[in-house]
Amino acid sequence: MSSLQATDYGSWGSDQSTVSQTRGSGVFSLPPKVPPQKQTNPKKVYAEEIAMTGGTQSRRRAVLYTDAWLKSRAPNPNLAVTMLLSREFRNNALAAGLSAPKAIQNWLYAPIRTALSRQGVPFLWIGVIEIDSGEYHVHGLLNMPSDEMFLRGFLPAWKKLAPEGLRSLAQFESYYKLDRSGTPIHAHRISDYLQYNATGGAGAAGWLDYMTKALDQTASSRGRKWPADRAISISRAVTRLVDRKSFGRHALRYSLN
């Protein structure tokens, strides 16, 4: 029995010596603790900057994307458009449970975009809803290669907004250039020489000021029966012009694609 014990102890000592040598060689040694390095993100650099303090987020978005549009390779806006939303249009939207922006998107913008895409024309558009004395308008900046393309593209919207008996293409063509109250859709060429009385500005920037002159009041219309809280709409063809953007307190910054 003592012989058996001696044998066991001898083998255990041999194994222990082996383990000790192995540890000494560093195979089982733990790596040294390294304090975590603070990750620093590289500062984003923007190619364009617009000095702007204050204003609602909707107006700041309109200013940034209009500036980007004018500086991009896309065709510049050349038409100023106003669409008068009829009471019939409003009542139908209320009956369907649609807010003003949703009804405009579904019943006006979507058919326009489809009609233009069939002709291979992008829907380059920035639109703003305005509520004036209870009447709803949509003012927009648009690029169209020709008057004929505008008529064909906006004909679905004309059919939605014009009274019965005045919904043909020929009637649209005879009415859309008439700048008078009650015209369902009116459009005129943007010119650097045409000043807008409400703001005194001219060109695309002047029309943008005119479009957004009542944006704050419209965007805060949640208490209305037909709210228009999301009063600005920018088409994908325009938003895709911008790679990245930043709305700072004192400046708007962006880079083009």
Side-chain angles (χ1 to χ4, degrees):
M1 184 172 180
S2 61
S3 175
L4 181 61
Q5 289 176 342
T7 304
D8 290 341
Y9 287 145
S11 62
W12 183 89
S14 175
D15 292 343
Q16 183 74 0
S17 174
T18 303
V19 171
S20 176
Q21 290 176 3
T22 306
R23 284 182 178 175
S25 66
V27 174
F28 290 100
S29 61
L30 296 174
K33 291 186 178 181
V34 178
Q37 298 293 321
K38 186 177 181 181
Q39 297 292 330
T40 57
N41 294 325
K43 188 176 181 181
K44 291 183 179 180
V45 179
Y46 299 93
E48 305 291 343
E49 181 173 313
I50 311 164
M52 184 176 183
T53 302
T56 63
Q57 185 69 4
S58 292
R59 176 165 174 76
R60 291 161 73 81
R61 288 183 70 238
V63 170
L64 185 147
Y65 280 106
T66 300
D67 191 78
W69 185 357
L70 292 170
K71 291 177 179 175
S72 73
R73 296 181 180 179
N76 281 348
N78 56 8
L79 281 180
V81 181
T82 295
M83 294 187 281
L84 176 61
L85 306 186
S86 63
R87 292 189 181 275
E88 180 185 358
F89 183 91
R90 188 191 319 179
N91 291 338
N92 288 340
L94 288 169
L98 298 177
S99 65
K102 194 68 176 176
I104 292 166
Q105 179 64 42
N106 292 357
W107 296 346
L108 299 181
Y109 292 159
I112 290 170
R113 187 167 52 247
T114 299
L116 291 175
S117 66
R118 288 172 180 165
Q119 304 295 323
V121 177
F123 184 37
L124 289 161
W125 169 268
I126 296 177
V128 174
I129 303 171
E130 180 185 358
I131 305 173
D132 184 10
S133 301
E135 298 294 336
Y136 287 69
H137 305 77
V138 177
H139 299 300
L141 269 173
L142 176 71
N143 174 270
M144 277 291 108
S146 66
D147 290 348
E148 180 184 358
M149 196 64 67
F150 169 75
L151 290 168
R152 293 189 178 279
F154 275 69
L155 181 60
W158 175 266
K159 289 181 177 180
K160 273 286 185 183
L161 300 176
E164 279 192 56
L166 294 174
R167 294 176 178 172
S168 69
L169 178 62
Q171 289 162 330
F172 182 21
E173 185 174 10
S174 64
Y175 276 96
Y176 85 98
K177 289 185 179 180
L178 300 178
D179 186 6
R180 68 186 186 191
S181 177
T183 303
I185 298 179
H186 167 69
H188 64 267
R189 290 283 168 183
I190 291 176
S191 169
D192 290 335
Y193 304 101
L194 177 61
Q195 289 189 332
Y196 300 99
N197 295 333
T199 59
W207 180 245
L208 176 69
D209 287 341
Y210 180 85
M211 284 167 47
T212 58
K213 66 184 185 299
L215 187 57
D216 291 352
Q217 297 91 316
T218 301
S220 61
S221 67
R222 293 181 182 178
R224 291 179 177 270
K225 185 178 179 181
W226 199 37
D229 47 309
R230 299 187 65 180
I232 186 167
S233 177
I234 303 171
S235 69
R236 290 180 183 176
V238 174
T239 58
R240 287 172 179 168
L241 299 175
V242 175
D243 176 29
R244 57 185 184 274
K245 59 190 179 297
S246 170
F247 297 94
R249 184 176 297 178
H250 301 292
L252 314 177
R253 300 177 180 90
Y254 68 90
S255 293
L256 291 168
N257 275 318

